[in-house]
Amino acid sequence: MGKQRVLSGVQPTGNLHLGNYLGAIRNWVEGQSQYENYFCVVDLHAITAPHNPATLAADTYTIAALYLACGIDLNHSSIFIQSHISAHSELTWLFNCITPINWLEDMIQFKEKAVRQGENVNTGLLDYPVLMAADILLYQADRVPVGEDQKQHLELTRDIANRFNHLFCTPEQPVLKMPEPLIRKEAARVMSLTDGTRKMSKSDPSELSRINLLDPPDAITKKIKRCKTDLVRGLTFDDPDRPECRNLLTLYMVLSGKTKEEVAAECQDMGWGQFKPLLTETMIATLQPIQEKYKEVMDDRSYLESVLREGRQKAEAIANDTLLKVKAAMGYSMPL
Ligand code: AMP
Ligand code: TRP
């Protein structure tokens, strides 16, 4: 038996932040030697909100470079760009025609984003999870490492796979593999620095709400200095009325590599004035090597291009194979 397959991706909208890193990419890196991995930059997803054509390509390369900078190892993993493989769009269309609209209307992320986009809600925003299902099912992925916010999209992916297999395959020979989400308990949902009840997000208008992976030390220092806290002395994970306290302690725990018990003991008598510099220092120390590696990768464009070319070749072979099987099962004639 070969290794199980992993697929995941991030959108090239704005910078990656600590939530993306701790909720997703760090887990890709830590698990990668156990699996055969495919990591894509999902640039087709990026146009479901108004986008800037002048920066889309550069943003896409930035995210690919950050994957490498965060430790994606090409001995175990392939990196590619979603729009370079047309099977993603094609399978989305086929899936559209077996996906009831009300499944999509129930998606929490759609409802939230639709409110934000007001009058301007496009069909792509509603269809976004079908494209995501195509991303995953094309690769017959066993595992999909994501943050907590993607759980519902994974359930929808499984529903689509089930429906397809049920409609077009025999129970003995399903075409699509059922993927499992891989969601870590710790830091699966990193919260905003300015409101501990909301998740850290690329779309929050306030830069102070998030730490970007490429933030220089002085920006990190400023953001932590200004982040929301409370007036209680002594820090704890367990008080539900102190969401900011829980979030910042969790960040410190994950970034320092200490256990929850160690952090709880270390910080129980601290005030914010003592804790904030500690968190700042730990954050800067974690991000510094990522930022250095990022610069190296970005300085060698031809290397990055070769990584993406090779990734695409490997990924495309698998994607096209699945697409052919899907079309055959649906009764399409084969191209001559
Ligand atoms: P996106 O920024 O929406 O493309 O998300 C890319 C990945 O980061 C997905 O796996 C998300 O679940 C994860 N992610 C995004 N925001 C957070 C957050 N605040 N906490 C944890 N994971 C997150
Ligand atoms: N929807 C995901 C997000 O916003 C990004 C994504 C698109 C994805 N396709 C995927 C994640 C496939 C995992 C697998 O975070």
Side-chain angles (χ1 to χ4, degrees):
M1 281 285 280
K3 287 180 176 174
Q4 286 200 328
R5 198 173 284 158
V6 154
L7 178 124
S8 196
V10 174
Q11 296 184 64
T13 27
N15 233 307
L16 288 191
H17 53 67
L18 264 185
N20 298 131
Y21 178 61
L22 298 177
I25 300 174
R26 186 184 57 128
N27 304 331
W28 307 354
V29 170
E30 283 180 6
Q32 67 185 325
S33 63
Q34 293 171 55
Y35 302 108
E36 175 195 345
N37 309 277
Y38 293 85
F39 299 119
C40 56
V41 184
V42 292
D43 55 348
L44 295 171
H45 280 98
I47 64 167
T48 54
H51 82 288
N52 182 355
T55 55
L56 180 61
D59 289 345
T60 303
Y61 273 86
T62 295
I63 302 292
L66 276 170
Y67 288 180
L68 289 168
C70 289
I72 295 301
D73 176 350
L74 300 171
N75 291 312
H76 303 293
S77 308
S78 301
I79 301 176
F80 66 96
I81 295 174
Q82 183 190 35
S83 68
H84 291 181
I85 300 184
S86 56
H88 290 252
S89 304
E90 192 172 349
L91 186 60
T92 301
W93 176 255
L94 301 175
F95 283 168
N96 275 339
C97 299
I98 62 160
T99 306
I101 291 187
N102 67 323
W103 288 7
L104 301 179
E105 287 167 341
D106 282 346
M107 294 291 112
I108 297 162
Q109 192 170 304
F110 170 69
K111 288 190 224 170
E112 284 175 0
K113 290 192 179 175
V115 170
R116 248 183 277 139
Q117 290 189 14
E119 298 284 289
N120 202 8
V121 178
N122 63 63
T123 307
L125 191 67
L126 179 68
D127 205 28
Y128 174 113
V130 181
L131 177 58
M132 178 163 165
D135 297 339
I136 296 166
L137 299 174
L138 269 180
Y139 297 92
Q140 309 282 2
D142 298 280
R143 303 282 183 130
V144 184
V146 283
E148 167 74 31
D149 60 344
Q150 296 302 313
K151 198 168 166 203
Q152 198 187 26
H153 288 161
L154 255 299
E155 280 157 15
L156 181 94
T157 300
R158 291 167 58 88
D159 288 342
I160 291 176
N162 256 325
R163 193 173 175 98
F164 182 92
N165 287 338
H166 178 73
L167 285 172
F168 302 117
C169 314
T170 59
E172 299 75 41
Q173 275 193 310
V175 167
L176 299 173
K177 171 144 317 156
M178 211 51 65
E180 298 280 344
L182 204 60
I183 299 174
R184 273 266 195 108
K185 225 172 63 225
E186 307 302 350
R189 194 172 170 83
V190 175
M191 308 312 275
S192 156
L193 296 182
T194 46
D195 179 352
T197 62
R198 295 176 46 180
K199 74 170 181 176
M200 186 178 284
S201 153
K202 290 170 182 166
S203 53
D204 192 314
S206 168
E207 268 297 319
L208 288 176
S209 70
R210 63 185 158 261
I211 302 284
N212 297 314
L213 294 192
L214 296 176
D215 277 347
D218 57 336
I220 297 175
T221 308
K222 183 175 107 187
K223 287 176 180 179
I224 297 296
K225 216 177 247 168
R226 298 229 198 132
C227 76
K228 185 171 175 203
T229 53
D230 51 31
L231 297 171
V232 189
R233 222 197 134 70
L235 308 180
T236 168
F237 284 97
D238 299 323
D239 185 342
D241 294 330
R242 302 180 71 192
E244 287 81 17
C245 186
R246 181 197 186 86
N247 187 44
L248 296 172
L249 283 187
T250 304
L251 286 178
Y252 177 57
M253 172 183 81
V254 191
L255 294 171
S256 66
K258 294 180 183 173
T259 64
K260 189 171 175 186
E261 290 69 32
E262 285 168 338
V263 171
E266 183 184 354
C267 303
Q268 62 183 347
D269 299 322
M270 279 187 190
W272 291 111
Q274 206 182 347
F275 176 75
K276 281 186 170 185
L278 189 64
L279 177 62
T280 305
E281 201 182 298
T282 313
M283 229 175 241
I284 292 173
T286 307
L287 296 187
Q288 195 182 22
I290 294 178
Q291 297 179 353
E292 282 167 10
K293 182 84 205 289
Y294 170 78
K295 279 200 201 86
E296 251 175 60
V297 176
M298 286 305 267
D299 282 345
D300 190 351
R301 174 79 176 202
S302 63
Y303 169 69
L304 184 57
E305 283 174 1
S306 73
V307 168
L308 293 171
R309 198 174 303 120
E310 202 172 299
R312 183 193 129 195
Q313 279 164 2
K314 273 198 181 160
E316 196 166 34
I318 301 171
N320 286 347
D321 181 62
T322 303
L323 183 63
L324 267 185
K325 289 185 177 139
V326 164
K327 289 173 81 174
M330 292 179 88
Y332 279 98
S333 62
M334 288 301 114
L336 300 172

